[in-house]
Amino acid sequence: MAKEVEALQAIVPRLNKMLESMDFGSVTLVVQDGKVIQIEKNEKVRLK
C-alpha cells in the first residue's frame, strides 16, 4: 500500500502542472495492471 501511495504522490504534481499549463484539451491516464504507466496531454489551441 505504501508503494501505491508513493506512486500517486509522484503523479499528482505532474498532472497539476499539465492542467495549469493548458486552457483547452485533455489529459489521459494510461493504466496497466492497476498502475498508471503513461500520461498523455492533448492540447487544443483556439484561434479567434
Side-chain angles (χ1 to χ4, degrees):
M1 181 78 166
K3 286 184 181 182
E4 290 143 354
V5 171
E6 282 181 28
L8 285 176
Q9 288 175 340
I11 292 169
V12 170
R14 287 179 171 235
L15 283 173
N16 281 334
K17 218 179 252 188
M18 285 181 170
L19 293 170
E20 289 172 354
S21 70
M22 57 191 267
D23 293 323
F24 302 97
S26 62
V27 175
T28 304
L29 301 177
V30 179
V31 178
Q32 183 176 343
D33 296 327
K35 297 178 185 169
V36 176
I37 60 164
Q38 185 172 321
I39 303 171
E40 299 174 359
K41 176 178 149 182
N42 186 4
E43 188 170 2
K44 305 287 185 186
V45 177
R46 303 275 172 134
L47 304 175
K48 295 182 180 184

